[in-house]
Amino acid sequence: ATSEDGSLAGVLALLPAPYARKMAGIESTGRFAFNSIIKGQSNASLSPEIRVEFSLDEGQLSHEQLARPLRDVSFQAKLTNGKYRDNSSSVFTLEGFKGYFNRELIEMEASVSNFDAPEIDFNLNGVLPLETAYSLLGNPKITGGDGEVEVKNISIKGKLADMMAPSRMSRVEASGTLEFDDAALTVGEETLLLDRGELAISGNKLFINGLRLEGAGSDIAFEGSVFNALPVLLADSLNSKGAQLEFEAKLTARSLDIDRLLAFSALTPEEEAEPEPLRDSLAREQLHGRESLTNLLKGTFDARIEAFNYQKIEGEDFMGKLGIANGVMSVEG
């Protein structure tokens, strides 16, 4: 089958079901070419050879999670079921992917082999304008974005099973940095701003360098290191076992308004206006979500806080340690 005027959505539907579901909702315009060969016997013991190649040039990609489409897109992709004509020898490759978010270039290369036990090779470079990409975070409470996140040479290579297991993350090659340039997210009536700083990835370690968070009555700077960032990230959607975000960091705050920060996980005014049974259900869901997050955290902050408040408590000039483990915070200082 050959086409010079095909549909990306139609081709993505040919992927194995778990991958096809993740790609659902992607639509394209542009010069889309498609070429496929299916040849051989198909029965209980034999599968035909499958080769699919497709490309997009001068295209546009849109998705419900993108505030604006990705423009001037080009790429080449291939899918084959390989030597043994089954999932174990199947390979999907994406080469030469280029596109523009708000005139900012993003480039990507990726491959997935052995669909029974996936091995991933992923590379990403470019700039993500949060005005366009904030909805990719998947949180409906985030209603806007501004500024940029610069993605520098993000590279992840290894088996998916190793990426999900903290004890095996040493087998995964991971590197690159994320730099923040006045990166802001709007949550309800509040705006959180990362006006500078970077996250540097090296294997299973994530270094926090000069990261400053402003907004919601708070002004906080972070330095430190984090383990198991990738297993915890995958745990949210793939149910990794035993993944905890372990960290050692310094926290320096000119101001810390705990009430306003906790309000990000509270019910919205619209949710508060719902009938009581639904409102109670939403509140339990919010609490469960907060507990799920705090249970993933384990570590200590060396803290210096000039001014803070929590409910009726107000304080100044705190120096000491904040520890988090098993969903409980300990304060010593």
Side-chain angles (χ1 to χ4, degrees), residues 66-93:
L66 291 176
R68 297 182 183 178
L70 187 62
R71 302 181 186 277
D72 296 329
V73 178
S74 61
F75 65 82
Q76 300 83 43
K78 298 178 183 179
L79 172 66
T80 173
N81 61 354
K83 178 180 178 180
Y84 301 111
R85 302 182 181 182
D86 60 16
N87 280 347
S88 69
S89 61
S90 293
V91 179
F92 172 76
T93 59

Side-chain angles (χ1 to χ4, degrees), residues 96-116:
F97 184 100
K98 293 182 179 181
Y100 290 85
F101 274 128
N102 291 10
R103 299 183 296 278
E104 297 286 0
L105 176 64
I106 193 85
E107 299 178 287
M108 180 169 55
E109 304 272 345
S111 70
V112 180
S113 57
N114 186 357
F115 290 176
D116 286 331

Side-chain angles (χ1 to χ4, degrees), residues 190 215-218 220 255-267 290 307-315:
E190 303 277 15
S218 302
I220 313 167
S255 57
L256 180 62
D257 190 326
I258 300 173
D259 296 313
R260 287 171 68 179
L261 291 174
L262 288 177
F264 290 129
S265 61
L267 296 181
R290 185 185 297 178
F308 66 92
N309 64 274
Y310 174 60
Q311 296 185 8
K312 295 184 179 181
I313 300 172
E314 295 183 1

Side-chain angles (χ1 to χ4, degrees), residues 28 150 294:
S28 69
E150 187 171 356
T294 55

